[in-house]
Amino acid sequence: MSSRSAAAAPVGVAVCCALLSAVVHLVIAPEHLAETLYIGILFIAGGVALLLTAGALALRNSVTAWWAGALVSGGMILGFAFSRTIGLPGYHEQGWDPPVRSFVDDR
């Protein structure tokens, strides 16, 4: 494996993860908009931020893009944990069920 392809592997994985997370958040955003407006807006903002991050990583592989992806993803993880433990203003999920369970159950 050349050093160039070895360097590209982590970037490709990061781009795929950012795209997947963005799509999931954007798909379930309408459900959250209907339930609690600001949570839905945060889902959309996080999804768009991850789409931009994926693009920046794919095109330039900059340190700024890596930090942006880490901060947005970390914020999403914290939001997930807080919504199930201490709660967020006007929003509290019950239990630790996977967030996409309702999407899978609806089919």
Side-chain angles (χ1 to χ4, degrees):
M1 180 184 289
S2 71
S3 63
R4 185 173 183 180
S5 62
V11 175
V13 170
V15 169
C16 288
C17 288
L19 288 174
L20 178 63
S21 183
V23 167
V24 167
H25 282 84
L26 292 171
V27 165
I28 61 178
E31 172 185 326
H32 288 85
L33 282 169
E35 186 177 346
T36 306
L37 181 65
Y38 85 94
I39 298 294
I41 292 170
L42 288 173
F43 268 66
I44 293 169
V48 169
L50 285 176
L51 288 175
L52 294 173
T53 297
L57 282 170
L59 295 175
R60 297 185 36 195
N61 189 19
S62 69
V63 172
T64 304
W66 282 99
W67 275 106
L71 291 173
V72 172
S73 297
M76 289 176 163
I77 291 168
L78 282 176
F80 177 82
F82 286 168
S83 71
R84 282 151 176 79
T85 55
I86 61 174
L88 298 170
Y91 185 79
H92 190 272
E93 289 283 339
Q94 299 298 318
W96 287 86
D97 291 336
V100 294
R101 189 183 77 160
S102 63
F103 177 73
V104 173
D105 290 344
D106 290 343
R107 289 184 166 213

